[in-house]
Amino acid sequence: MTHLQAGLSPETIEKARLELNENPDILHQDIQQVRDMIITRPDIGFLRTDDAFILRFLRARKFHQTEAFRLLAQYFQYRQLNLDMFKNFKADDPGIKRALTDGFPGVLENRDHCGRKILLLFAANWDQSRNSFIDILRAILLSLEVLIEDQELQINGFILIIDWSNFSFKQASKLTPSILKLAIEGLQDSFPARFGGVHFVNQPWYIHALYTLIKPFLKDKTRKRIFLHGNNLNSLHQLIHPECLPSEFGGTLPPYDMGTWARTLLGPDYSDENEYTHTSYNAMHVKHTSSNLEREASPKPMKRLVQLRKLLGFWLAVEVGCKSGRKGSSGSERGCR
């Protein structure tokens, strides 16, 4: 075992060998091959090229050196092209701090049965007068930067659960093609994380419509790992054990405390003055989710037609905003990879 694998359990080292093609005997050679490719992209400033940093990109691309270098280049290019997003890129930045305090993202303390870290997003908590989508995205990217330092997570990866309960049509209309494209590029194309699944729960019909429209611009591998559960928590539990989930998702854990991850990152700078109280949110969630889902899933035919026309007209901009999209087929994937 090389020092680059120090701290990993024997089980995780074996998993890296079997699933990621990680070979400790040639680890340094693999890293050097990626580093040698940097000269081919003089247009990009590679601000960090140490062994441990490059290793996470190799793991994210199963030790395909060319793909790992492409991801490394996209990581720094994304930051060059979006300089404003990464100014003062730390937890105490006012915008990032607000998003963290409001629970964007939530991060469960325990991992799932495959060793993956579970991230939560409660979409209805997006107060658009308080948090911009960009600041929420920055908070998510910063959180991933902190979490990916853990070598176990570089190998085991992450799970994302998005609860769309009480997420209004008005809120959905703010999800413009340009900001969704920015999020896809930042998370799918430019970050060295392995996402084992993205799970939608309690999504209304217009989230289905939005997903259908952005689907062609997702990689085939990404699409295979997006699951639309609606209000069927049994299908969620088939993939993530209830013992790993808070009660909002039918799990056996206590309700999620929105301030948990913010307190971890902010430490003494954390203030709950404007924090959403999850107890009240959870009560609202349990009381109103079923009726809201029925209402949103089956609005009056004329109202739904008007909303759909608005949505489709709005999303015609996708053709302009997401020219770099990829085509492929959808599917599903089970297990921990």
Side-chain angles (χ1 to χ4, degrees):
M1 181 181 73
T2 171
H3 75 277
L4 289 169
Q5 294 178 317
L8 292 174
S9 67
E11 294 78 14
T12 304
I13 291 174
E14 180 64 6
K15 181 177 183 178
R17 184 184 71 82
L18 293 175
E19 294 186 15
L20 307 184
N21 307 306
E22 184 167 326
N23 183 348
D25 296 332
I26 58 171
L27 206 54
H28 289 282
Q29 294 96 305
D30 288 333
I31 291 169
Q32 190 57 47
Q33 284 184 30
V34 173
R35 189 182 287 116
D36 289 343
M37 298 180 196
I38 289 175
I39 195 173
T40 67
R41 293 298 304 271
D43 56 311
I44 296 175
F46 293 85
L47 303 180
R48 185 178 170 188
T49 60
D50 57 274
D51 287 358
F53 187 71
I54 291 177
L55 178 56
R56 65 186 63 171
F57 291 87
L58 280 162
R59 285 171 170 161
R61 291 298 180 261
K62 296 187 174 182
F63 279 79
H64 296 154
Q65 288 94 342
T66 302
E67 290 299 314
F69 173 70
R70 182 176 291 114
L71 180 61
L72 177 68
Q74 288 171 335
Y75 174 91
F76 285 113
Q77 186 174 45
Y78 182 78
R79 281 148 180 74
Q80 284 183 194
L81 294 175
N82 302 286
L83 289 174
D84 288 344
M85 280 182 60
F86 296 95
K87 285 181 181 177
N88 199 35
F89 190 56
K90 51 188 180 180
D92 62 359
D93 171 83
I96 293 177
K97 184 177 180 179
R98 278 195 304 273
L100 290 170
T101 302
D102 290 354
F104 295 105
V107 180
L108 295 184
E109 293 182 17
N110 297 325
R111 304 177 187 188
D112 79 346
H113 60 288
C114 299
R116 300 172 295 195
K117 202 70 169 173
I118 301 175
L119 279 64
L120 308 174
L121 293 176
F122 294 92
N125 278 4
W126 180 21
D127 181 347
Q128 294 168 353
S129 67
R130 174 174 163 83
N131 292 310
S132 70
F133 183 90
I134 298 299
D135 282 336
I136 290 175
L137 178 58
R138 293 172 73 218
I140 293 171
L141 288 171
L142 178 65
S143 298
L144 287 171
E145 290 282 3
V146 173
L147 292 166
I148 204 67
E149 292 290 330
D150 185 335
Q151 288 204 74
E152 293 273 344
L153 295 180
Q154 293 173 21
I155 295 166
N156 292 324
F158 301 87
I159 293 289
L160 175 62
I161 304 176
I162 307 177
D163 185 356
W164 297 98
S165 301
N166 305 298
F167 189 73
S168 69
F169 185 87
K170 182 179 180 181
Q171 286 174 302
S173 70
K174 302 298 183 183
L175 297 174
T176 65
S178 60
I179 61 175
L180 288 177
K181 179 173 180 285
L182 192 67
I184 290 170
E185 290 174 345
L187 296 168
Q188 173 188 259
D189 302 328
S190 308
F191 197 84
R194 305 184 68 216
F195 283 97
V198 178
H199 301 267
F200 287 12
V201 298
N202 301 318
Q203 71 276 5
W205 68 269
Y206 39 84
I207 294 301
H208 274 283
L210 286 179
Y211 175 64
T212 300
L213 288 166
I214 68 168
K215 201 173 178 181
F217 308 108
L218 299 172
K219 291 179 180 177
D220 183 55
K221 186 175 181 180
T222 301
R223 277 184 292 174
K224 288 179 179 179
R225 295 183 177 181
I226 295 178
F227 304 91
L228 308 182
H229 299 284
N231 59 356
N232 180 12
L233 295 181
N234 288 330
S235 66
L236 176 68
H237 296 162
Q238 289 174 14
L239 299 172
I240 308 174
H241 295 172
E243 294 79 12
C244 306
L245 295 171
S247 60
E248 297 91 322
F249 303 104
T252 60
L253 298 178
Y256 182 70
D257 175 359
M258 290 291 180
T260 299
W261 182 240
R263 284 190 288 268
T264 300
L265 288 190
L266 292 167
D269 290 332
Y270 173 79
S271 170
D272 63 359
E273 179 182 354
N274 294 307
E275 181 187 3
Y276 284 94
T277 56
H278 192 74
T279 301
S280 61
Y281 174 82
N282 193 45
M284 175 185 70
H285 183 280
V286 172
K287 184 176 180 181
H288 298 299
T289 291
S290 297
S291 59
N292 281 356
L293 273 174
E294 291 171 4
R295 225 171 19 246
E296 297 290 7
S298 303
K300 292 180 180 180
M302 185 57 67
K303 180 181 178 183
R304 181 167 180 166
L305 181 60
V306 170
Q307 288 178 326
L308 186 57
R309 283 176 176 169
K310 286 181 180 178
L311 195 63
L312 290 175
F314 179 75
W315 272 79
L316 286 175
V318 169
E319 291 297 328
V320 177
C322 297
K323 288 182 179 178
S324 60
R326 300 172 177 82
K327 292 185 178 181
S329 59
S330 61
S332 62
E333 184 167 306
R334 297 292 187 266
C336 299
R337 294 193 178 188

